[in-house]
Amino acid sequence: MTGGEHRPAATEAIGAATDAGLERWRLILGAPAERATGPLGGQAAARDAALEWLYGRDTDLEQRGVRRGPAGGGKGAARKAGDGPTELTPVDWLDDIHRLFPKETVERLERDAVERYEINEIVTDPEVLSRVEPNATLLRAVLRTKHLMNPEVLAMARRIVEAVVRELMDRLRPELRRAFTGARSRLPSRLPLARDFDFKGTVRANLSHYQPEHRRVAIERPRFHSRTRRHLEQWQLVLLVDQSGSMASSVIHSAVTAACLWSLPGLRTHLIAFDTSVVDLTSDVTDPVELLMRVQLGGGTDIARAVDYAAGLVENPRRSIVAVISDFYEGGDPYRLVRTVRGLVEQGATVLGLAALDEEADPVYDRGLAGRLAEAGAQVGAMTPGRLAEFVAEKVGR
């Protein structure tokens, strides 16, 4: 074949790279896919360089032939000798991804950089910190690495903590307060609010309107619960938060949740952090930023010691909720832990074992120990902060 005969195929391949679907696959799979998709150019090549800088350090992808080889252009195209990442600095890379990708993609890339590849310069380098957009991922990274920071960097990192905490509080405070606008009572209400709809009462009141041919009840007189605050002043909530590294999201949301609950009338809230020791953070609850700057993630876990401490705080067990937020991988004495939980339950306290307290509420925990705590009378599960507030409000209103 002559060179002229090759030219149409090459033109076709180059044209194929402009197809959005093929371009997307080329960005996902890296240079080896160019034989099928055609090469990248312009902004797509710059995106590929930014992706290669991050994911090119993944040895598993390299072994599978995915995302290997130099990118099609941009500042990150030249690689170091060997298999390491390119000469692109974290500052350059952050500038690139904020310019090249939508916000949701930027957040995912930053999350992978700090959590998957542990590129700590993103939260320990002053120049990088001055450029990053505060988000929950970076807040978790700050909490994990603040012990590495000098005072100047720590002051800059605090900006991330303040921004994310402010956003979380703005989002959570209305949700938590709605749960405490009054707990449900057994008395009916004339105020038709969807959240107070009495399903069982409505069905009973309208059974005379049952339509057998349609197998449904025609609702002519809907029923609603009323609400009351009369028992709020008698309750105590103790939040025990595991400081182990895997619980970073729960620590953040526990601090914000405690701050939102603190100002509610009639509910006394305690916040206790623990690893192998126990730290009472209740005095800092009104300032969740300062509280989080005191948290030290990592280390061992002694849940039994923390629950013993909580038991000593409880004044009226029948008006107390002890919420243990942990992955339940106990480094202390599990028998002592189960015994203390059983004792609290027998005295009338409500004990919650929460495997997660964040927006996702994805539980990862030791199911064996959690099962033993459930057998001892604890209620075990995973909750978002809003669901915890609803649970507490329902308890308080009984």
Side-chain angles (χ1 to χ4, degrees):
M1 285 184 155
T2 66
E5 291 173 308
H6 279 287
R7 196 169 293 116
T11 302
E12 182 180 342
I14 293 171
T18 63
D19 179 273
L22 289 174
E23 185 178 276
R24 184 184 296 271
W25 277 110
R26 166 60 184 83
L27 288 170
I28 293 170
L29 296 173
E34 284 190 3
R35 286 175 295 180
T37 65
L40 296 171
Q43 191 175 61
R47 286 189 184 127
D48 188 62
L51 293 172
E52 179 67 21
W53 182 85
L54 182 63
Y55 296 110
R57 59 191 80 219
D58 194 318
T59 56
D60 179 59
L61 293 180
E62 186 174 309
Q63 290 168 1
R64 289 157 47 199
V66 178
R67 294 227 49 82
R68 183 176 181 177
K75 282 190 287 185
R79 293 178 63 86
K80 290 180 180 178
D83 294 327
T86 72
E87 297 287 355
L88 196 67
T89 68
V91 175
D92 293 332
W93 180 75
L94 281 168
D95 283 344
D96 282 352
I97 64 173
H98 280 268
R99 174 174 53 86
L100 296 167
F101 296 100
K103 182 179 179 180
E104 315 84 72
T105 306
V106 169
E107 291 177 356
R108 172 60 188 269
L109 292 172
E110 289 177 343
R111 182 168 70 247
D112 282 350
V114 298
E115 294 184 350
R116 183 173 175 182
Y117 299 110
E118 299 182 347
I119 304 173
N120 289 330
E121 301 99 303
I122 290 178
V123 288
T124 57
D125 185 319
E127 189 176 1
V128 179
L129 273 175
S130 67
R131 296 167 186 254
V132 296
E133 188 71 26
N135 58 57
T137 295
L138 295 176
L139 173 52
R140 290 194 295 270
V142 166
L143 297 186
R144 291 190 180 107
T145 58
K146 58 188 173 64
H147 63 284
L148 304 173
M149 301 176 185
N150 62 41
E152 177 196 359
V153 175
L154 200 58
M156 297 183 69
R158 191 183 183 94
R159 175 181 69 93
I160 293 175
V161 180
E162 290 172 345
V164 178
V165 166
R166 184 169 58 250
E167 180 192 352
L168 286 173
M169 291 195 73
D170 288 345
R171 193 181 328 140
L172 290 176
R173 187 183 283 114
E175 184 179 357
L176 269 59
R177 286 186 177 277
R178 276 197 299 273
F180 279 85
T181 52
R184 289 180 178 180
S185 77
R186 297 182 181 181
L187 298 174
S189 171
R190 295 177 181 272
L191 189 62
L193 295 176
R195 63 186 173 86
D196 295 333
F197 181 66
D198 181 359
F199 178 80
K200 292 182 179 179
T202 298
V203 171
R204 282 195 298 268
N206 291 273
L207 280 177
S208 60
H209 305 298
Y210 178 64
Q211 300 171 349
E213 66 276 14
H214 299 297
R215 301 184 66 185
R216 65 185 182 187
V217 176
I219 304 300
E220 294 189 4
R221 291 182 297 160
R223 293 292 186 92
F224 298 88
H225 293 288
S226 64
R227 290 187 173 253
T228 177
R229 296 177 181 267
R230 61 187 175 188
H231 295 305
L232 279 176
E233 296 182 4
Q234 302 176 16
W235 282 80
Q236 185 179 16
L237 172 65
V238 183
L239 295 174
L240 293 170
V241 189
D242 188 339
Q243 291 189 104
S244 59
S246 62
M247 298 299 295
S249 291
S250 290
V251 170
I252 293 166
H253 282 81
S254 297
V256 174
T257 301
C260 293
L261 292 174
W262 180 260
S263 58
L264 291 171
L267 183 67
R268 191 143 56 95
T269 304
H270 306 259
L271 182 63
I272 317 300
F274 67 91
D275 41 36
T276 52
S277 59
V278 177
V279 181
D280 194 327
L281 299 172
T282 304
S283 61
D284 290 322
V285 162
T286 54
D287 185 356
V289 173
E290 186 61 38
L291 189 154
L292 288 171
M293 295 304 285
R294 287 185 57 191
V295 165
Q296 297 291 336
L297 292 177
T301 307
D302 192 336
I303 310 172
R305 175 178 291 185
V307 174
D308 277 351
Y309 182 86
L313 294 175
V314 170
E315 296 175 359
N316 182 352
R318 296 189 181 279
R319 288 290 183 268
S320 299
I321 300 171
V322 177
V324 184
I325 303 162
S326 175
D327 55 14
F328 301 110
Y329 289 99
E330 173 67 301
D333 184 346
Y335 298 100
R336 174 183 166 196
L337 170 61
V338 172
R339 185 171 63 248
T340 306
V341 167
R342 181 178 291 111
L344 282 167
V345 172
E346 288 174 351
Q347 293 172 49
T350 298
V351 179
L352 298 180
L354 303 183
L357 186 70
D358 60 20
E359 292 167 330
E360 303 300 327
D362 291 328
V364 178
Y365 60 102
D366 184 335
R367 295 178 184 273
L369 181 56
R372 291 171 62 187
L373 294 177
E375 290 174 359
Q379 300 179 49
V380 178
M383 288 185 184
T384 63
R387 183 66 193 96
L388 175 62
E390 290 173 8
F391 179 91
V392 174
E394 291 290 339
K395 278 284 182 183
V396 166
R398 287 183 181 178

